[in-house]
Amino acid sequence: MEEVFKPICVEVNDVSYHRMVKTSVSLLDFIREELKLKGTKKSCDNGECGACTVIMNDELVYSCQILAVQANGAKITTIEGIATNAKLHPIQEALIDEGAVQCGFCTPGMVLAIKKLLEEYPNPTDEQIRYGLAGNVCRCTGYVAIEKAVKKAAAVLRG
Ligand code: FES
Ligand code: FES
């Protein structure tokens, strides 16, 4: 079958990109293969693990479940847009401090999910943390260290 291409314009981490994309390409593959932003991970590629999580128009999304053409006009933040001036974000620092990064495969998506969680709940309860991170699977840490890191980052961000 003949491939169909369409033009899209997206803003990723405050940079505008104009590209022709195959209409069948996922936003995840567009981010990783076209923009070469490899921090967003590809794991299940089926909407089940959260490794591919990005923030699109202020909402958490699984980028494997969205076509790149559906992101036309969107503003997207990936893990590469989280650290500023070569300084890790407090969420990243807290995850490292609490030993909540092991293989690290879930970490980019987890960081973005924690960022949205703490925007909504600056001082989250255990239940809010668990509910907020329910879409992000970690196969290594057992989540206890991640929950501690969320509370630590929340305290830092609250000042
Ligand atoms: S890679 Fe997208 S949800 Fe698993
Ligand atoms: S640190 Fe390995 S999957 Fe979370």
Side-chain angles (χ1 to χ4, degrees), residues 98-100 129-130 138 141-151:
E98 293 297 336
I129 294 171
R130 285 172 198 169
C138 176
T141 65
Y143 301 98
V144 173
I146 292 173
E147 288 178 23
K148 280 188 187 165
V150 171
K151 289 184 177 174

Side-chain angles (χ1 to χ4, degrees), residues 102-106 138-141:
Q102 292 187 20
C103 82
F105 213 76
C106 71
C138 176
R139 295 165 181 83
C140 305
T141 65

Side-chain angles (χ1 to χ4, degrees), residues 69-134:
V69 289
Q70 292 175 299
N72 186 27
K75 188 171 163 53
I76 292 166
T77 302
T78 70
I79 190 64
E80 288 88 351
I82 293 295
T84 47
N85 300 325
K87 189 171 173 356
L88 291 178
H89 190 282
I91 294 169
Q92 295 170 302
E93 287 184 341
L95 286 166
I96 292 168
D97 288 350
E98 293 297 336
V101 181
Q102 292 187 20
C103 82
F105 213 76
C106 71
T107 307
M110 197 67 81
V111 168
L112 292 164
I114 295 169
K115 184 172 186 298
K116 287 300 296 173
L117 170 72
L118 295 182
E119 283 172 12
E120 194 169 352
Y121 303 107
N123 191 11
T125 63
D126 291 353
E127 192 179 8
Q128 286 165 338
I129 294 171
R130 285 172 198 169
Y131 186 78
L133 302 184

Side-chain angles (χ1 to χ4, degrees), residues 25-101:
V25 165
S26 69
L27 177 60
L28 172 60
D29 285 342
F30 175 76
I31 288 169
R32 286 180 55 83
E33 308 307 330
E34 178 67 30
L35 304 186
K36 305 296 182 199
L37 295 170
K38 302 279 186 173
T40 305
K41 299 302 180 212
K42 186 172 185 173
S43 184
C44 70
D45 205 20
N46 197 31
E48 290 172 2
C49 74
C52 64
T53 300
V54 299
I55 298 172
M56 182 167 115
N57 296 336
D58 219 29
E59 300 283 344
L60 284 180
V61 296
Y62 289 163
S63 59
C64 71
Q65 296 298 292
I66 294 175
L67 293 171
V69 289
Q70 292 175 299
N72 186 27
K75 188 171 163 53
I76 292 166
T77 302
T78 70
I79 190 64
E80 288 88 351
I82 293 295
T84 47
N85 300 325
K87 189 171 173 356
L88 291 178
H89 190 282
I91 294 169
Q92 295 170 302
E93 287 184 341
L95 286 166
I96 292 168
D97 288 350
E98 293 297 336
V101 181

